[in-house]
Amino acid sequence: MNVMEIMGPDLAKLIAAANANLKRVPYVYNVQGYGALGNGINDDTSAIQAAVNDCIANGGGVVVIPRTSTYYKVTGFINATLTDGMSLVVMGDGYPELRFTPSTFSGNYVAMFNFLSVSDTPVNVNVRVEGVKFNGIGVPEQWTVTDFNSLKTIIGLDIKATYAYVNDCQFDNLYGYGLRIKNYRKAIVNSCHFEKVGGHWYTTDGYDSFGDSVYFAFAQDKYAIATASNCRMIGYPSDRPRLSRIAVTFEFGAGNGYIENCYMEGYDRGVHVEAAYDMKLDIEDVTIERYDVGIFVHGGAKSVTVKSGKFFDNQGSYAGTSGPVGTYSITNAPDFFQFNNCIFDLAADCESFIDSLTYFYNCEFKSNTGRWTMKSVLVQNFTDCVFIGKAVYFYLSQVEKFIGCKFLGKTGTGQTEVLRFEGGFAKKFADCRFVNAFTGLANCIDFNFEFDSCRFEKDGTLTLTDDAGNAVTGFIFNFNTTIIIRDCIQVVNAAFPFDYYGGTGTRYLGTNNKVVNNVWSSYP
């Protein structure tokens, strides 16, 4: 009998029967029938291992762990060695807790539960884990350890299988990894909660090798799929010395990746992609908070698409990159990044290279005292985006078009230079609206900036200022740059020029340029 056939409505009946009859139900192995007590005192390691061994010896099945009033004490790793064609399910009945308090610790890593195929290319090896709490509180945090060989890190769940499905599990107090899945064709992590999971080596160097909530790696081929959905991934609290390493990692040929409806907090990188050169990564409805780099591509990935992403409270940097998104080098960078309906709330100044063609649609860039410096970025277009405060600084970057965008200065805060370009260019601003805001253009020699059918508004009592607090008496701070004003409108209640300072020239084209003085239309 294939155990996957009993994963439907009959599974609940089998578990109920196993609870009543302990281990006398075919294909279902209740750990309490092997002596596990779950009283928080008795060492249940050998009993749980015996249930797993019996299940494997009989060709696979379901290992049931019933809930108790306390927890199951585990002092050593539980190992399940799987051969091709085998299926194994570990099912929590009532959400039991396994608490790891190791009696000994060999090497740098130890896993609470290992499901490892004997083959590096498993064939029809199925693993499912559902409704279990993995608590690694017995392994202390080790923020101050500086000898890597002295580190003792823990993995909540380690799986090497063709098909892996982890659902409705909880991972707590794991200084190391929450969950690792490798050598898969399909890996699904759904409705799991990770808290105080990760940790980080005391400095960023060659030992930046642990500290993830979910780690996907070594997919069997480029058609493999790895998914994380409906999960909460929280590192350690802000009073710890460093952020944890990564919320979700795709590494070493991870196939195609999907992240949906997830919350990530307290990680150096929210999402990390490395050496996954054929990967198409889709991210949707994800919030990344208290981070250094939201999405970091360290070589690899064909494309990255982000829909309804929210980025809050950026902090430090990783590998010279900081902010919502960045790449490590132009070598093997994605063909493109695309962002739809995203919010970038910038708490601190950040700086990133994006060595790919990039698109932004309906996104909001908001300075919450921070500014995002984009270096050597090629943006095809910003369409229907909103920029608030001193949001973005383009350095040696190229933007084809801003279409239908709104640029809103934050009055009373000195954040009225919403955009700044130094070197590089933006070919055209079309149908854009500037409210109490100006654009700084510096040393963009030999490039034309064209403003076509744009609307510029300013309250006559407001003074626009640059970062140094100097007054700017124009909507475009123009230094060594040629600008073209075509069919634009000013709405002000005092005389105010389009451009200030004067560069190599300003050309007014079209017949519809006009200034409407003594009229003020507030931004709705």
Side-chain angles (χ1 to χ4, degrees), residues 192-195 213 230-234 262-265:
C192 292
H193 184 96
F194 303 79
E195 188 154 2
S213 275
N230 306 305
C231 294
R232 287 180 63 84
M233 305 166 189
I234 302 174
C262 290
Y263 176 81
M264 306 171 184
E265 178 190 342

Side-chain angles (χ1 to χ4, degrees), residues 51 127 132 162 175 215 226 255 271 309 352 463:
V127 172
V132 179
T162 318
Y175 193 83
Y215 178 87
V271 180
S352 57
T463 299

